[in-house]
Amino acid sequence: MNAAEQRPVPGAGPGSTGGTPPSRDSGAPGGDGGRPPRRWVKGMIIFLLIAIPAGYLVISAIQSRNGGEDKAESAVAKGLTVGWPSRVQRRIYDVPIPAYSADVAFYETNSWDTSRLYAQFITSREGLDRFLARLGTRPSALAKGEVTISAKEAVKVGWHLGSGQDWSGMVLKQKDPQPVVKITVSGQHAMHPKVYVVSTVTP
């Protein structure tokens, strides 16, 4: 055997057969140099995937609840709505506001056993006559000095009703299921009376 054949192969140890040296990563789990996998990272990812959507659900529920409460408080604080009740409301509550009325406003309340429509408007003497005629009554039915709308009802919508001979009122009681209509009229401006109405429907 010559010298070339006896020369050791670089990097070959005892029992080596030569060739490519074995990889340092050979047999290592995950190919990361023998380091154990970071299980806490996987756990954190799973936790976030569960916790974040749950957090959004909680926040959404709180916002929804608060939004409902805010709307309810706003409705109470708002009181009268400037404008005309719908035709359906006027028909149901029997409040035929005459044409060309001014300062028209209304407010509706509903509960399981009672519904009410509060309405106000300024009209002419002829308009008042037409309003009462459509209800089947007449101006002579208005009792002088009578305010038929209670203080509790007036406070509900911020009305400040007076007393004395400038005021008159009546309560129109009708057969069920027609509403009970309370009418109070301010005659402080004789040519332009202001009419206040509370109509109650009991199903």
Coordinates of all heavy atoms in Angstrom, one line a residue, residues 67-81 106-109 156-157:
G67 N -76.9 51.7 24.8 CA -77.6 52.4 23.7 C -79.1 52.4 23.9 O -79.8 53.4 23.7
G68 N -79.6 51.2 24.4 CA -81.0 51.2 24.7 C -81.4 52.1 25.8 O -82.5 52.8 25.7
E69 N -80.6 52.2 26.9 CA -80.9 53.0 28.0 C -80.9 54.5 27.5 O -81.7 55.3 27.9 CB -79.9 52.8 29.1 CG -80.1 51.4 29.8 CD -79.0 51.1 30.8 OE1 -78.0 52.0 30.9 OE2 -79.1 50.2 31.5
D70 N -79.8 54.8 26.7 CA -79.7 56.2 26.2 C -80.9 56.6 25.4 O -81.4 57.7 25.5 CB -78.5 56.4 25.4 CG -77.2 56.3 26.2 OD1 -77.3 56.4 27.5 OD2 -76.1 56.1 25.7
K71 N -81.4 55.7 24.5 CA -82.6 56.0 23.7 C -83.8 56.2 24.6 O -84.6 57.1 24.3 CB -82.8 54.8 22.7 CG -81.8 54.8 21.6 CD -82.1 53.6 20.7 CE -81.0 53.5 19.6 NZ -81.2 52.4 18.7
A72 N -84.0 55.4 25.6 CA -85.1 55.5 26.5 C -85.1 56.8 27.2 O -86.1 57.6 27.3 CB -85.2 54.4 27.5
E73 N -83.9 57.2 27.7 CA -83.7 58.5 28.4 C -84.0 59.6 27.5 O -84.6 60.6 27.9 CB -82.3 58.6 29.1 CG -82.1 57.6 30.2 CD -80.7 57.6 30.7 OE1 -79.9 58.4 30.1 OE2 -80.4 56.9 31.6
S74 N -83.5 59.5 26.3 CA -83.7 60.6 25.3 C -85.2 60.8 25.0 O -85.6 61.9 24.8 CB -82.9 60.2 24.0 OG -83.2 61.2 23.0
A75 N -85.9 59.7 24.9 CA -87.3 59.8 24.6 C -88.1 60.5 25.7 O -89.0 61.3 25.4 CB -87.9 58.4 24.3
V76 N -87.7 60.2 26.9 CA -88.4 60.9 28.0 C -88.0 62.3 28.1 O -88.9 63.2 28.3 CB -88.0 60.2 29.4 CG1 -88.5 61.0 30.6 CG2 -88.5 58.8 29.4
A77 N -86.7 62.6 27.8 CA -86.3 64.0 27.9 C -86.8 64.9 26.7 O -87.0 66.1 26.9 CB -84.7 64.1 27.9
K78 N -87.1 64.2 25.6 CA -87.5 64.9 24.4 C -88.9 65.5 24.6 O -89.1 66.7 24.2 CB -87.5 64.0 23.2 CG -87.7 64.6 21.9 CD -87.6 63.6 20.8 CE -87.8 64.3 19.4 NZ -87.7 63.3 18.3
G79 N -89.8 64.9 25.3 CA -91.1 65.4 25.4 C -91.9 65.5 24.1 O -91.8 64.7 23.3
L80 N -92.5 66.7 24.0 CA -93.3 67.0 22.7 C -92.4 67.0 21.5 O -91.3 67.5 21.5 CB -94.0 68.3 22.9 CG -95.2 68.3 23.9 CD1 -95.6 69.8 24.1 CD2 -96.3 67.5 23.4
T81 N -92.9 66.4 20.4 CA -92.3 66.4 19.1 C -93.0 67.5 18.3 O -94.2 67.5 18.1 CB -92.4 65.1 18.4 OG1 -91.7 64.1 19.2 CG2 -91.8 65.1 17.1
F106 N -96.8 67.0 19.5 CA -97.5 65.8 20.1 C -96.5 65.0 20.8 O -95.3 65.1 20.6 CB -98.2 65.0 19.0 CG -97.2 64.3 18.0 CD1 -96.9 63.0 18.2 CD2 -96.7 65.0 17.0 CE1 -96.0 62.3 17.4 CE2 -95.8 64.3 16.1 CZ -95.4 63.0 16.3
Y107 N -97.0 64.0 21.6 CA -96.2 63.1 22.3 C -97.1 61.8 22.5 O -98.2 62.0 23.0 CB -95.7 63.6 23.6 CG -94.8 62.7 24.4 CD1 -93.6 62.3 24.0 CD2 -95.3 62.2 25.6 CE1 -92.8 61.5 24.7 CE2 -94.5 61.3 26.4 CZ -93.3 61.0 25.9 OH -92.5 60.1 26.7
E108 N -96.6 60.7 22.3 CA -97.3 59.4 22.5 C -96.7 58.5 23.5 O -95.4 58.4 23.5 CB -97.5 58.7 21.1 CG -98.3 57.4 21.2 CD -98.4 56.6 19.9 OE1 -97.6 56.9 19.0 OE2 -99.3 55.8 19.8
T109 N -97.5 58.0 24.4 CA -96.9 57.0 25.3 C -97.7 55.7 25.2 O -98.9 55.7 24.9 CB -97.1 57.5 26.8 OG1 -98.5 57.7 27.1 CG2 -96.4 58.8 27.0
K156 N -96.0 65.9 32.3 CA -95.4 64.9 31.5 C -94.8 65.4 30.2 O -93.8 65.0 29.7 CB -96.5 63.8 31.1 CG -96.0 62.6 30.3 CD -95.4 61.6 31.2 CE -95.0 60.3 30.4 NZ -94.3 59.4 31.3
V157 N -95.5 66.5 29.7 CA -95.0 67.1 28.4 C -94.6 68.5 28.6 O -94.4 69.2 27.6 CB -96.1 66.9 27.3 CG1 -96.2 65.5 26.9 CG2 -97.4 67.5 27.8

